[in-house]
Amino acid sequence: MKRLILATVLSVLGVTARAEVQIQQVTSPAGINAWLVEEHEIPFVALEIYFKGGTSLDEPGKRGATNLMMGLLEEGSGEMTAQDFQRERESLAASYGFDAYDDGVSVSAKFLTENRDDAVALLRQALVAPRFDQDAIDRVKGQVLAGIASRKTDPNRIAGDSFYSEAYGDHPYGTDDSGTEETIRALTQDDIFKAYRNALVEGRAYVSAVGDINAEELGQVIDNLLSGLPEDGPAVPGAVDFGLTGGATIVDFATPQSVILFGHAGIERDDPDFFAAYVLNTILGGDGPQSILMNEVREKRGLTYGIYTYLVDKDYSNMWLGSVATANEKVGETIDVILDNWARVATVGVSQEELDNAKTYLTGAYPLRFDGNEEIAGIMVGMQVQGLPPEYVVERNDYIEAVTLEDINRVAQRLLNPDALHFTIVGQPEGVDEAMLTDVGEE
């Protein structure tokens, strides 16, 4: 019955879009900061905790340790085995999520108000008293190894592995954070405990909550959850430059359709031109009907079902990336169209109509992101990590509207560099200019 109630709550929240939220800044009795949106209409709370550092903290030869560790937090803690923990979680109708990323690890929780104390206590147990039993480690290792094996047969993952390896080399960004067969098999229980101590650091935590909870209650929850965790952790990696130059890498893979990942260096999130670049990306290859590349590559020429570009702002580097898949015999033509339009926008710019259409799309789509407590909690944590103020949720569309055509075209000239675009192609492509090739590999 409790699980049915929670499912009903989530379905109601999923169709309740809120264009604005009222964010409170909360400081717990122990001095931990958090953001809160109170919503008392439904007896439900979503909690999000993000610890900066992430899989980039993996030590040499231990790649995949942080990812594996996060997958083990639900696999037994305190006096509970994995089965005991899952039974207790289900009895509370609570939901927990433990995820690992390059620059951070996240812990999310959803629970009903009536079960809040017990749900928080169970989550605390997972965070401060994990067991990392050997049978659980072996079981989750098996799952990770299956994913690694699958990655070798997935053209999209192969493209990403190749592209990032060439772009970042020995930096953690250069390898997949799930590790390799060799590193995963070699990880010990001690390695997992060390990854746990390195990643779940109270001094690097960002917290947000949305739902049926007030500031005082949230402060108590935060202190309850995070007390006992280390206050500081190991040094994070330094900044790293995007290391690829213009050209192409072909990874031979037997498939009738090639997957292409392409890009060059991007822009920092705190750069004054970021919003102009963000709007420019929407015009060039973002979601929506205004996309130049979608129109030129798909609509006019039928070369693909979809092509997209996006800005990637990591803690230690940034990129402007794009992806497309097309028939092997159409690869050369597809790359030519991308390069031509990248160069045209960089030199000629875009029109006022294209800018207006992008603004309409971006400002109209933004409120739809606030369609549930969990989504809002995630957005608020992301804002904190990026150093944005609470009022950003209200002012964001104003930043979009403030971008002028002059801004867009100036930033296009500054950032778009077709000569620097690198294309990683997985397949058996035809028509690729031999002069572009920087490396030819086989999978």
Side-chain angles (χ1 to χ4, degrees):
M1 176 60 74
K2 288 181 179 177
R3 280 183 290 174
L4 177 60
I5 293 172
L6 181 57
T8 303
V9 168
L10 293 176
S11 68
V12 170
L13 292 174
V15 296
T16 305
R18 279 167 280 183
E20 295 184 8
V21 294
Q22 300 297 319
I23 299 175
Q24 301 177 54
Q25 298 186 69
V26 176
T27 301
S28 76
I32 301 172
N33 297 320
W35 286 10
L36 167 66
V37 172
E38 292 190 47
E39 178 57 69
H40 299 288
E41 293 183 4
I42 301 174
F44 167 78
V45 177
L47 180 70
E48 188 77 18
I49 307 172
Y50 182 92
F51 298 89
K52 217 169 184 183
T55 62
S56 292
L57 296 174
D58 282 343
E59 297 185 339
K62 308 294 183 182
R63 193 58 168 153
T66 303
N67 178 68
L68 180 61
M69 179 273 297
M70 292 301 291
L72 285 162
L73 289 178
E74 275 194 300
E75 297 293 326
S77 55
E79 298 300 318
M80 292 183 178
T81 65
Q83 293 75 18
D84 294 335
F85 186 92
Q86 295 302 332
R87 279 194 293 268
E88 179 66 11
R89 180 191 60 78
E90 289 186 7
S91 73
L92 295 170
S95 174
Y96 306 127
F98 304 94
D99 294 298
Y101 311 99
D102 282 339
D103 297 325
V105 297
S106 68
V107 176
S108 59
K110 301 188 290 286
F111 45 82
L112 297 170
T113 304
E114 65 179 282
N115 296 331
R116 182 176 65 209
D117 291 346
D118 289 338
V120 169
L122 185 62
L123 179 58
R124 171 180 166 76
Q125 179 179 283
L127 295 181
V128 303
R131 291 166 61 108
F132 301 138
D133 293 330
Q134 190 60 51
D135 62 334
I137 292 175
D138 293 340
R139 181 171 61 254
V140 178
K141 270 189 180 183
Q143 297 168 3
V144 173
L145 289 169
I148 292 172
S150 175
R151 195 168 78 216
K152 294 180 178 180
T153 63
D154 182 340
N156 289 288
R157 299 298 298 272
I158 294 170
D161 287 347
S162 175
F163 188 93
Y164 279 86
S165 176
E166 289 190 285
Y168 292 113
D170 292 336
H171 191 277
Y173 290 166
T175 55
D176 191 273
D177 57 13
S178 60
T180 66
E181 290 183 12
E182 293 74 19
T183 61
I184 293 301
R185 292 188 189 282
L187 290 173
T188 66
Q189 186 184 59
D190 287 343
D191 294 328
I192 302 303
F193 270 108
K194 188 166 187 181
Y196 159 75
R197 292 190 295 270
N198 288 346
L200 270 66
V201 173
E202 181 268 312
R204 293 176 177 170
Y206 297 82
V207 184
S208 68
V210 182
D212 187 25
I213 189 170
N214 61 37
E216 181 180 357
E217 292 165 338
L218 177 59
Q220 295 169 352
V221 166
I222 295 169
D223 287 349
N224 189 0
L225 285 173
L226 301 183
S227 62
L229 294 178
E231 293 184 3
D232 200 3
V236 296
V240 57
D241 291 332
F242 180 81
L244 277 171
T245 57
T249 299
I250 296 176
V251 181
D252 184 70
F253 190 81
T255 177
Q257 178 173 267
S258 289
V259 168
I260 307 170
L261 180 63
F262 59 94
H264 59 45
I267 184 172
E268 298 284 351
R269 178 62 183 78
D270 58 1
D271 190 295
D273 283 333
F274 177 81
F275 272 98
Y278 180 68
V279 177
L280 174 61
N281 177 72
T282 302
I283 298 170
L284 180 61
D287 287 336
Q290 75 293 320
S291 169
I292 290 173
L293 288 177
M294 185 70 83
N295 186 49
E296 294 291 334
V297 179
R298 173 181 172 168
E299 302 301 333
K300 287 187 178 180
R301 297 172 176 83
L303 297 173
T304 185
Y305 285 110
I307 179 170
Y308 305 96
T309 63
Y310 39 97
L311 298 175
V312 178
D313 178 37
K314 293 181 177 290
D315 281 0
Y316 316 114
S317 191
N318 52 78
M319 296 166 283
W320 200 324
L321 301 185
S323 61
V324 64
T326 189
N328 284 327
E329 63 271 18
K330 300 294 185 181
V331 170
E333 182 182 0
T334 299
I335 290 176
D336 287 343
V337 175
I338 293 169
L339 287 170
D340 288 346
N341 282 278
W342 212 270
R344 178 178 64 81
V345 174
T347 55
V348 178
V350 303
S351 69
Q352 185 66 52
E353 181 180 4
E354 288 171 320
L355 173 57
D356 292 342
N357 288 340
K359 286 182 177 181
T360 297
Y361 175 78
L362 288 170
T363 56
Y366 185 63
L368 301 180
R369 296 174 59 191
F370 298 85
D371 63 352
N373 288 12
E374 183 179 9
E375 289 74 16
I376 296 171
I379 289 170
M380 291 198 301
V381 159
M383 289 169 57
Q384 294 176 67
V385 172
Q386 292 173 5
L388 299 172
E391 55 268 21
Y392 174 82
V393 293
V394 177
E395 297 175 351
R396 181 267 195 184
N397 278 354
D398 293 336
Y399 291 116
I400 299 295
E401 293 289 3
V403 174
T404 67
L405 186 62
E406 180 183 0
D407 293 331
I408 287 283
N409 291 332
R410 174 180 54 79
V411 171
Q413 290 182 351
R414 172 192 166 191
L415 296 179
L416 295 180
N417 184 358
D419 293 336
L421 276 179
H422 192 93
F423 295 81
T424 295
I425 309 160
V426 178
Q428 296 177 328
E430 300 175 19
V432 180
D433 186 348
E434 292 292 323
M436 292 183 65
L437 299 181
T438 58
D439 182 52
V440 178
E442 292 186 358
E443 182 63 31

